[in-house]
Amino acid sequence: MKNQVQLITYADRLTGNGLTQLKQLLDESFCGLFSGVHILPFYYPIDGSDAGFDPIDHTQVDSRLGTWQTLSEIGQSYEVMADLIVNHVSGQSNEFQDVLQNGRHSPYWSMFLKETDVFPNGITPAQADMIFRPRPTSCFSPKKLATGEVINFWTTFTDNQIDINVETDSGKSYLDDVLNLFAKSGVKIIRLDAAGFAIKRAGTSCFMTDETFVFIKQLAEQAHALGMETIAEIHSHYQTQIAIAKKVDRVYDFALPPLILHTLFNQNVDALVSWLNVSPRNCLTVLDTHDGIGIVDAGPEGDKPGLLNASEVDSLVQTIHANSHGESLKATGSAASNVDLYQVNCTYYDALGRDDLAYLTARAIQFFSPGVPQVYYGGLLALNNDMTLLEQTQVGRDINRSYLSLEQVHKHLGKPVVKGLCKLIKLRNSSAAFNGEFSVQGAQSSLTMKWQNIDDFASLEVDLSKRVALLTTGDTHQAQTIDLADLLN
């Protein structure tokens, strides 16, 4: 993977069309900005109950977007990242519909995880309490077979997302088919979506079990054999991220987004510096994604202290709600049909109160943090919360999943904060220093981040109390210093 900035986007929501238009946008209006692109689920259908993360057919590109050949054409110029939806498949899939019709006689019967697979004698209340839940309802959904028999199928997220039993031959075969198709179609990087929930065991949290670590490692090795890298998508305690980073090519630094907000809100870098001194170096860094802003990644878990304590986490969430004038509150927690109660749904730009300089400072800190940076399309264009879409769908995450036309994209590209961000992206891409050694120092309101690669260097000096951020790049012969505020002019 190239150590340059990548884009995260839906093909249709960014372009108003499909994959061909996405490539045109990357080649023209976004020229020089991105070496790779994470194209969010483009499988059939893209407009299911979870915006493509509940595929009816994981091996079919939604015809409204294009074909596998269209995807391959993007892969000739950019490193394409695609989602392997490891944990579940749509209840409308041919496989699950066959199970409903034919029950135990279906060739796909063993492909789907049932309560009795993990709890053959039924689950006890104590065992149920141990299970880590991303939503408040039961982890099982009763489904009636054609015979009239009712079976409790495991549904970690929604009752339309039926969990796969990845330990059976049919479950493995399902994932194998998708992996092989990815490799043939030019996908270079695989995001293992919800992989932390893939293996369940009685008497555990059924999240990131010991067997899950083994499973993820095996998937990574399988992808390597096909010429692809893997990224583990796991929201969890920061120590878990450090552990899983040793078993895959890369992990997401999901602790970074809330820590940067905490840093800017409180004008105190201490928690951020502590994390950057121990964070995995094989990261993808993000501030925003198609999901909400994760909170559990920086907070405590049980008796394990977090990078932020409980009161700091609460203050962080309340400040986001205040900065967004209560808009994020309407899309977060038990509001708006959320499937994850541990994320705040809000654009990162609105989370920072639409403060252009604070936003560029946040991006500069992201780009200087260890790892390959990714920028979500909403963040690239500094979009505001989409309250109209939220009201239409009553899906919390849609506040940050706007549908745009190319005309709207070009309009947003003209905003000073977006122009400044594009300059910052090009600076990050052009410096060889970021392939060198990283160091960080700071206390209270002052932060210094440095990269050194033989003669090339880059530094970021931030004084939060004075609202000053200086970026310096160069080599032994010459250097240039840029005040981030000047990028807004």
Side-chain angles (χ1 to χ4, degrees):
M1 182 187 297
K2 294 179 181 177
N3 186 11
Q4 294 183 330
V5 182
Q6 298 181 349
L7 176 67
I8 307 171
T9 190
Y10 296 93
D12 59 321
R13 297 189 189 223
L14 175 62
T15 68
N17 210 306
L19 294 169
T20 298
Q21 289 72 26
L22 175 59
K23 185 176 186 302
Q24 183 178 355
L25 198 57
L26 289 166
D27 290 343
E28 298 174 3
S29 301
F30 295 171
C31 181
L33 295 179
F34 305 110
S35 64
V37 55
H38 174 192
I39 307 175
L40 291 159
F42 45 85
Y43 325 112
Y44 173 74
I46 55 173
D47 50 2
S49 60
D50 193 21
F53 282 96
D54 51 343
I56 289 177
D57 189 345
H58 205 325
T59 63
Q60 178 184 341
V61 175
D62 192 304
S63 60
R64 290 169 288 182
L65 299 183
T67 65
W68 287 107
Q69 177 58 37
T70 321
L71 186 78
S72 297
E73 292 169 2
I74 297 177
Q76 292 172 13
S77 303
Y78 305 92
E79 291 181 316
V80 171
M81 179 171 163
D83 291 275
L84 178 63
I85 302 171
V86 173
N87 184 70
H88 51 262
V89 67
S90 171
Q92 278 70 55
S93 65
N94 290 338
E95 295 90 343
F96 191 67
Q97 288 297 308
D98 192 276
V99 167
L100 293 181
Q101 184 63 38
N102 298 302
R104 289 168 174 78
H105 299 293
S106 169
Y108 306 110
W109 176 255
S110 65
M111 176 178 160
F112 297 98
L113 193 68
K114 308 155 199 75
E115 177 185 338
T116 52
D117 291 332
V118 182
F119 303 97
N121 299 316
I123 188 171
T124 68
Q127 290 171 326
D129 287 343
M130 294 182 68
I131 297 175
F132 176 73
R133 304 291 301 116
R135 61 188 177 103
T137 52
S138 169
C139 56
F140 304 113
S141 294
K143 303 289 183 180
K144 182 181 289 188
L145 307 183
T147 61
E149 183 181 8
V150 176
I151 301 293
N152 269 352
F153 286 92
W154 205 303
T155 51
T156 295
F157 294 99
T158 71
D159 62 3
N160 188 51
Q161 291 167 296
I162 317 298
D163 285 23
I164 301 168
N165 190 337
V166 299
E167 298 183 277
T168 63
D169 288 343
S170 56
K172 292 175 182 176
S173 177
Y174 172 85
L175 294 178
D176 288 349
D177 288 346
V178 181
L179 276 173
N180 285 310
L181 188 52
F182 279 179
K184 292 177 183 177
S185 304
V187 173
K188 292 290 186 285
I189 308 155
I190 300 170
R191 176 179 176 270
L192 304 178
D193 176 67
F197 295 95
I199 307 277
K200 286 86 166 176
R201 289 290 185 269
T204 74
S205 67
C206 296
F207 177 75
M208 292 309 302
T209 61
D210 292 341
E211 293 84 357
T212 304
F213 281 90
V214 174
F215 169 72
I216 290 174
K217 186 174 185 292
Q218 291 171 342
L219 264 186
E221 291 171 350
Q222 190 176 352
H224 290 165
L226 294 169
M228 299 179 290
E229 297 182 45
T230 56
I231 312 298
E233 186 265 336
I234 296 165
H235 283 281
S236 187
H237 190 265
Y238 75 91
Q239 292 174 342
T240 302
Q241 295 286 19
I242 293 173
I244 198 67
K246 300 174 183 177
K247 300 182 184 296
V248 293
D249 296 304
R250 293 184 186 272
V251 292
Y252 285 95
D253 186 349
F254 283 135
L256 192 63
L259 285 175
I260 290 179
L261 290 176
H262 169 83
T263 297
L264 296 175
F265 291 164
N266 296 280
Q267 297 187 8
N268 189 299
V269 306
D270 294 348
L272 176 64
V273 171
S274 295
W275 170 237
L276 292 177
N277 276 316
V278 300
S279 64
R281 277 17 187 177
N282 58 327
C283 288
L284 286 181
T285 66
V286 293
L287 294 189
D288 45 5
T289 69
H290 62 287
D291 290 336
I293 300 168
I295 300 301
V296 298
D297 309 278
E301 181 182 290
D303 59 356
K304 293 188 293 186
L307 300 164
L308 302 176
N309 61 40
S311 63
E312 289 171 328
V313 169
D314 183 64
S315 175
L316 170 66
V317 172
Q318 295 306 316
T319 304
I320 295 173
H321 292 333
N323 283 351
S324 67
H325 303 288
E327 291 178 346
S328 57
L329 188 60
K330 296 178 181 179
T332 296
S334 59
S337 305
N338 282 301
V339 297
D340 196 328
L341 302 182
Y342 307 107
Q343 297 180 344
V344 177
N345 290 318
C346 185
T347 69
Y348 212 83
Y349 186 58
D350 273 354
L352 284 168
R354 305 183 184 182
D355 183 326
D356 288 356
L357 182 57
Y359 187 66
L360 281 191
T361 302
R363 287 294 176 188
I365 293 172
Q366 178 201 356
F367 293 171
F368 268 78
S369 297
V372 175
Q374 289 190 321
V375 176
Y376 183 59
Y377 79 102
L380 171 68
L381 302 174
L383 298 183
N384 302 134
N385 287 326
D386 194 332
M387 301 306 291
T388 300
L389 184 60
L390 176 65
E391 290 169 7
Q392 289 174 353
T393 66
Q394 283 301 298
V395 173
R397 293 173 175 179
D398 276 349
I399 198 172
N400 190 30
R401 295 178 175 180
S402 293
Y403 288 93
L404 303 174
S405 65
L406 288 177
E407 181 181 2
Q408 289 173 310
V409 170
H410 293 137
K411 179 180 178 181
H412 286 296
L413 286 172
K415 296 188 298 190
V417 65
V418 176
K419 287 183 176 180
L421 177 55
C422 290
K423 294 174 186 175
L424 195 59
I425 290 172
K426 290 180 178 179
L427 283 169
R428 172 62 172 78
N429 288 341
S430 63
S431 175
F434 293 98
N435 294 314
E437 295 295 320
F438 171 74
S439 62
V440 60
Q441 294 180 334
Q444 298 181 345
S445 64
S446 296
L447 174 70
T448 300
M449 306 171 74
K450 291 183 178 180
W451 286 89
Q452 186 77 43
N453 183 16
I454 309 176
D455 292 337
D456 293 287
F457 70 91
S459 68
L460 176 67
E461 297 178 87
V462 180
D463 187 327
L464 297 172
S465 63
K466 296 180 180 178
R467 284 177 57 85
V468 173
L470 303 177
L471 192 160
T472 304
T473 59
D475 54 32
T476 53
H477 302 293
Q478 61 179 356
Q480 63 169 342
T481 298
I482 297 172
D483 188 325
L484 288 190
D486 292 339
L487 295 182
L488 294 169
N489 300 321

